[in-house]
Amino acid sequence: FPYSTIVHFRWENDINNDGIVDQNIEWGSGYIVGPNTVVTAGHCVTNGGEKWIEKLTVFPQFNGSYSTGGYNVKKVICPIQYVDNKTPDYDWAILTIDGNIGEQTGWLGFRITDNLLEKNITVSGYKKLDGDLYPVLYKHSGKITDVIDGKIFYNASTISGQSGSPVFDENNIALGIHTTSYGTANGKHYDNGGVRINPCIYSLLKEKRELGKTEYNYK
């Protein structure tokens, strides 16, 4: 803990450029916030915004085996602003899965925070780099460098495959959801970025966590 709470996704019906199903593709990361609740980026459940992923399997504490330990996604909440218009501030999704994953892993806290500039954070998620046989969990720490509307930016290093990773503080509290690598917009350079936890996301996460606790008889 807290790295036990970070999950790897496998999308089993991906079609590659030759029209052939690729059964080994890895597709994004996410994190556990309740008994059966997982948070990720919106583009991780919509194939980058093009179509809904039909079968998404969640692997906690992934160790290189796709034969055991996976959970199926039962329900997806993703904002219409992202589904229809790919609006970056709404690039998030909340998943309900078919088992008490949190009992195995624990779960991260989450909160709304106003004073985010210069706050120490860590971003951690799964990616297969050159030399890796299977996706591996990577992490890097840094500071929040900018806050613009619904997004936060940070100088922690990230790589493709870590979309959906938690942006969390030293108390293991999630402040955001990693979504984008660094780039330039409107003539300004931005660090890596993610969607910040806002009142809407917070309320939904709290509701889903409590429903999960009731379903699995947590006191």
Side-chain angles (χ1 to χ4, degrees), residues 4 11-12 45 65-66 91 97 136 161 194-195 212-213 219:
S4 59
W11 180 25
E12 295 186 355
V45 299
S65 173
Y66 288 112
D91 187 1
I97 61 171
V136 174
V195 175
K213 290 170 70 173
K219 301 297 184 180

Side-chain angles (χ1 to χ4, degrees), residues 84-204:
D84 284 354
N85 301 315
K86 314 303 176 287
T87 307
D89 287 5
Y90 294 90
D91 187 1
W92 56 267
I94 300 172
L95 316 179
T96 302
I97 61 171
D98 65 349
N100 186 0
I101 193 172
E103 183 178 37
Q104 173 186 347
T105 63
W107 57 71
L108 291 179
F110 49 88
R111 71 179 178 200
I112 307 166
T113 303
D114 291 328
N115 299 318
L116 288 170
L117 282 178
E118 297 299 314
K119 190 166 187 63
N120 294 317
I121 54 91
T122 296
V123 183
S124 182
Y126 283 89
K127 177 61 180 176
K128 185 166 65 174
L129 297 179
D130 292 342
D132 292 337
L133 185 60
Y134 300 103
V136 174
L137 186 64
Y138 290 91
K139 71 168 184 174
H140 197 258
S141 298
K143 292 181 181 291
I144 293 178
T145 57
D146 214 342
V147 181
I148 302 175
D149 298 326
K151 295 203 70 175
I152 52 177
F153 298 88
Y154 30 84
N155 56 18
S157 179
T158 63
I159 48 180
S160 176
Q162 290 184 306
S163 290
S165 300
V167 182
F168 60 100
D169 66 15
E170 62 272 14
N171 297 312
N172 303 321
I173 303 296
L175 307 176
I177 306 154
H178 174 67
T179 59
T180 51
S181 298
Y182 68 91
T184 302
N186 299 320
K188 181 177 180 180
H189 171 80
Y190 291 103
D191 290 325
N192 297 323
V195 175
R196 65 187 298 187
I197 301 293
N198 60 33
C200 174
I201 297 172
Y202 177 88
S203 296
L204 285 169

Side-chain angles (χ1 to χ4, degrees), residues 61-76:
Q61 299 174 289
F62 182 68
N63 63 1
S65 173
Y66 288 112
S67 60
T68 61
Y71 293 82
N72 295 318
V73 176
K74 297 196 304 182
K75 184 177 182 179
V76 175

